[in-house]
Amino acid sequence: MQLQEPDDVLPKDLVVLIEEEEGRQSRLEFAATLAALWQAHLIATFVVARLDLNRHAGFAVGSGLAHMLQNYWSQVACAKAETKEIFDTLLSGRGLVGEWRISENESPEELMLHARHASLAIVGPPSRGDRAMTTLGLSESVIVGSGRPTILLPTNWPAERIARRIVIGWNGGREATRAIADAMPFLMSAEAVHLVVVPEAKAQGLYGAEPGADMAHHLVRHGVAVDLNQYNGTDAGSVLLDRCRSSDADMLVIGAVGRSRIGEFIFGGATRTILGNADLPVLLSR
């Protein structure tokens, strides 16, 4: 697949955030594949797992505490070294320019800055009930609120599967508009793009009998091979995920609708549904 677009459209730098968890190699390989296609600067930020999120740490006392701390730091050092070796191998093997960072004891706001100072951030899948809480899990909503597009990547997603078929969730809103603009490097190179008008009365009222037609024309003018889909229903998140499955999509593009509070971000219903159930990369913008 060739992502050859005007130079001013392509991202210049990518940041991938990783921890010592399953899927770190595939996430690095996915990021390196994108960086190679775009000739972008690749930043890898290793996020040290917080000890206070270890469910067993609070039970250590006496000599057990010292043993637990020694084991913890040994695991961190080993994970750092292994991950950096993977990263360095990817850089040299693909002729990339990159940067290695360590994030340790950073607040969610400080962690967000790694995303804010890059064109695109790549993180793991969102936290769910069956996934242990991690530093990135606590911070993913802050990263999404960084003002930069963020890709939430499923564990072990194939590195070579880079957005050939894309579904866009469109409701005429500001967030969705921003997401389309941020996803343009992917959209302009995709084989098929499905612009899906989600079932909201607001979109119908504001944009007439054919909501999405004007955005489809906009995409066509950029050379995007777009297919406009309008659906009936009340559950926008489920409609979008169903369309992704039926089209064997490689990426879903949505605006992250929600509201901020002090130290957290509360997602709206459709966004929550997608983050809780998506099994493909999701590009989010807000």
Side-chain angles (χ1 to χ4, degrees):
M1 178 183 178
Q2 298 296 318
L3 297 185
Q4 295 178 349
E5 309 303 342
D7 189 59
D8 59 346
V9 173
L10 297 181
K12 306 300 183 186
D13 40 25
L14 316 176
V15 60
V16 53
L17 295 103
I18 46 198
E19 292 175 298
E20 64 234 55
E21 58 179 8
E22 182 184 4
R24 55 182 164 160
Q25 177 156 350
S26 61
R27 198 179 313 164
L28 282 167
E29 289 176 349
F30 182 89
T33 299
L34 275 182
L37 288 168
W38 292 333
Q39 289 301 294
H41 184 79
L42 180 59
I43 303 163
T45 299
F46 182 88
V47 183
V48 176
R50 281 172 41 179
L51 186 58
D52 61 325
L53 296 178
N54 185 321
R55 67 186 70 180
H56 305 295
F59 296 99
V61 294
S63 60
L65 178 60
H67 177 73
M68 182 273 295
L69 288 173
Q70 181 181 12
N71 186 57
Y72 164 74
W73 286 115
S74 175
Q75 288 180 343
V76 168
C78 182
K80 280 183 189 177
E82 289 177 353
T83 307
K84 188 174 188 303
E85 183 178 358
I86 294 170
F87 180 64
D88 289 343
T89 299
L90 287 169
L91 290 184
S92 61
R94 306 193 187 199
L96 297 173
V97 176
E99 179 181 345
W100 172 258
R101 297 176 183 171
I102 301 293
S103 171
E104 188 173 344
N105 294 322
E106 289 187 320
S107 69
E109 290 75 16
E110 290 170 322
L111 191 56
M112 175 190 66
L113 295 179
H114 294 279
R116 184 162 284 175
H117 298 145
S119 303
L120 174 71
I122 301 169
V123 299
S127 294
R128 298 171 183 168
D130 60 347
R131 181 179 175 219
M133 183 57 72
T134 65
T135 305
L136 280 179
L138 287 174
S139 305
E140 65 198 8
S141 58
V142 181
I143 293 168
V144 170
S146 66
R148 295 296 194 182
T150 300
I151 294 178
L152 300 182
L153 192 71
T155 301
N156 296 325
W157 183 264
E160 70 279 2
R161 194 173 173 183
I162 304 286
R164 295 181 297 274
R165 295 172 296 277
I166 302 175
V167 171
I168 304 171
W170 174 246
N171 63 357
R174 179 185 66 83
E175 295 87 355
T177 304
R178 175 67 180 271
I180 289 174
D182 286 338
M184 198 61 76
F186 294 101
L187 299 174
M188 293 173 68
S189 298
E191 296 172 4
V193 175
H194 303 280
L195 182 68
V196 177
V197 178
V198 296
E200 291 185 359
K202 178 182 177 183
Q204 183 76 22
L206 283 176
Y207 299 102
E210 289 190 86
D214 287 339
M215 179 52 73
H217 292 320
H218 169 70
L219 290 170
V220 168
R221 285 190 285 270
H222 280 272
V224 177
V226 64
D227 174 33
L228 176 59
N229 306 141
Q230 299 183 35
Y231 291 93
N232 295 319
T234 57
D235 188 343
S238 295
V239 167
L240 289 169
L241 291 176
D242 286 346
R243 191 68 185 92
C244 288
R245 295 183 188 106
S246 66
S247 60
D248 193 25
D250 306 302
M251 178 177 286
L252 172 61
V253 174
I254 61 169
V257 179
R259 63 186 185 276
S260 3
R261 291 181 176 175
I262 297 174
E264 63 179 348
F265 191 84
I266 308 301
F267 290 114
T271 309
R272 231 179 9 251
T273 296
I274 289 167
L275 296 187
N277 298 280
D279 55 3
L280 77 167
V282 179
L283 188 150
L284 290 155
S285 294
R286 183 173 185 270

